[in-house]
């Protein structure tokens, strides 16, 4: 489908959006998946920062595991002043427990919405990580139902969501979430010899034409993620 027909939400990462027909589909729920050290959290925050600076779309980062202060300090390496954006009411970085989110979903509690998306008129939300939320539910059926309920709540907010998921994408086993989300980006951290090479793949993008190539990715100080869609990984 033409990107002019379907509304798009650019990641802001040059080269990647062009390979995605312009970015994520507006108001969709997407997954950024990879193993440790692949750059998931950096990508997720860059998605929010670029949204604010380049597209005037405010954002919310819900973190289940990392502390807000640690994220703020770490992201200074890329020249991103999260505290400044928070003071300007353009960004919220919120430490929250998965149980609090579960309560909001099942009790239809609007407090989470007004404390996050509504207050700053956010258009982009990141949840880091969906694994922590999934662990609250004992069976695969319960997990699936929980995801569906969470997604229904998020869709009602009118935001484009990026979920961070940690699993070994190189084994290519995937996750039950793969069937439920609208888009999937996979981050790789290949080892060849004594060095590692990072790469990205647009694994799924519902209703969109996209590149099927796996291409190199770098994490650069004072910039963040940079991709090279015309190059080969090896």
């Amino acid at each position: 489908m033409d990107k002019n027909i379907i509304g798009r939400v650019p990641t802001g990462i040059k080269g990647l959006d062009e390979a995605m027909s312009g970015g994520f589909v507006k108001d969709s729920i997407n997954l950024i998946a990879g193993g440790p050290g692949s750059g998931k959290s950096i990508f997720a925050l860059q998605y929010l920062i670029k949204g604010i600076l380049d597209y005037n779309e405010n954002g919310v980062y819900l973190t289940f595991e990392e502390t807000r202060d640690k994220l703020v300090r770490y992201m200074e390496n890329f020249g991103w002043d999260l505290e400044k954006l928070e003071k300007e009411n353009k960004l919220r970085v919120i430490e929250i427990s998965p149980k609090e989110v579960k309560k909001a979903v099942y009790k239809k509690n609007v407090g989470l919405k007004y404390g996050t998306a509504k207050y700053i008129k956010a258009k982009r939300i990141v949840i880091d990580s969906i694994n922590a939320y999934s662990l609250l539910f004992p069976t695969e059926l319960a997990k699936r139902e929980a995801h569906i309920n969470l997604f229904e709540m998020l869709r009602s907010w009118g935001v484009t969501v990026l979920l961070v998921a940690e699993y070994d994408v190189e084994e290519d086993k995937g996750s039950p979430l793969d069937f439920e989300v609208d888009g999937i980006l996979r981050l790789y951290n290949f080892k060849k010899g004594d060095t590692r090479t990072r790469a990205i793949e647009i694994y799924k993008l519902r209703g969109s034409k996209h590149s099927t190539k796996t291409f190199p990715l770098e994490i650069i100080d004072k910039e963040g993620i940079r991709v090279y869609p015309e190059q080969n990984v090896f």
Side-chain angles (χ1 to χ4, degrees):
M1 296 184 184
D2 193 299
K3 66 181 180 183
N4 294 318
I5 297 174
I6 295 181
R8 295 287 168 174
V9 176
T11 66
I13 297 172
K14 187 178 179 181
L16 181 60
D17 289 321
E18 288 82 352
M20 296 171 65
S21 290
F24 297 122
V25 174
K26 187 176 183 293
D27 298 339
S28 62
I29 295 177
N30 307 280
L31 195 70
I32 180 80
S38 57
K40 300 181 300 299
S41 295
I42 297 169
F43 185 102
L45 268 164
Q46 189 164 343
Y47 164 68
L48 295 183
I49 299 297
K50 288 289 186 179
I52 293 166
L53 300 181
D54 296 350
Y55 302 100
N56 197 31
E57 292 187 349
N58 295 346
V60 174
Y61 195 98
L62 297 177
T63 172
F64 294 151
E65 296 164 335
E66 292 284 6
T67 67
R68 176 193 168 280
D69 289 347
K70 186 176 179 181
L71 283 169
V72 167
R73 289 196 307 271
Y74 183 44
M75 294 306 154
E76 288 175 355
N77 295 329
F78 305 107
W80 303 338
D81 190 339
L82 304 189
E83 289 189 321
K84 178 177 180 291
L85 294 175
E86 285 189 308
K87 288 174 182 176
E88 294 172 349
N89 279 331
K90 295 178 179 178
L91 175 71
R92 284 284 180 274
V93 179
I94 299 173
E95 293 179 49
I96 190 169
S97 75
K99 289 182 179 179
E100 288 179 85
V101 174
K102 179 182 177 183
K103 188 185 298 183
V105 171
Y106 286 90
K107 291 191 175 182
K108 307 297 182 184
N109 186 345
V110 298
L112 181 63
K113 176 181 179 181
Y114 282 88
T116 57
K118 192 73 174 178
Y119 180 71
I120 64 168
K121 297 181 172 61
K123 292 298 182 183
R124 303 180 182 214
I125 285 187
V126 167
I127 296 179
D128 188 359
S129 72
I130 192 65
N131 302 67
Y133 185 72
S134 300
L135 287 173
L136 294 176
F137 305 93
T139 67
E140 287 306 314
L141 178 59
K143 285 180 173 60
R144 187 175 181 87
E145 290 177 347
H147 294 152
I148 290 171
N149 289 328
L150 174 64
F151 295 172
E152 284 181 356
M153 181 185 78
L154 292 169
R155 290 185 198 281
S156 74
W157 294 5
V159 293
T160 304
V161 181
L162 185 58
L163 308 172
V164 176
E166 186 163 310
Y167 61 83
D168 190 349
V169 294
E170 293 183 42
E171 291 185 0
D172 203 28
K173 292 182 180 179
S175 156
L177 275 170
D178 291 358
F179 300 98
E180 300 167 28
V181 296
D182 301 303
I184 303 171
L185 300 179
R186 287 184 166 185
L187 296 180
Y188 297 89
N189 197 11
F190 299 112
K191 187 171 184 180
K192 187 175 183 180
D194 59 355
T195 61
R196 286 194 175 272
T197 299
R198 291 188 174 93
I200 188 167
E201 174 189 14
I202 306 163
Y203 185 76
K204 171 184 175 180
L205 203 61
R206 190 173 286 157
S208 307
K209 291 182 179 179
H210 62 86
S211 172
T212 56
K213 181 180 177 180
T214 300
F215 40 86
L217 171 153
E218 274 190 301
I219 299 174
I220 301 172
D221 283 350
K222 303 303 178 184
E223 180 177 340
I225 300 284
R226 183 188 293 181
V227 301
Y228 302 93
E230 303 303 321
Q231 296 183 19
N232 297 317
V233 176
F234 295 116

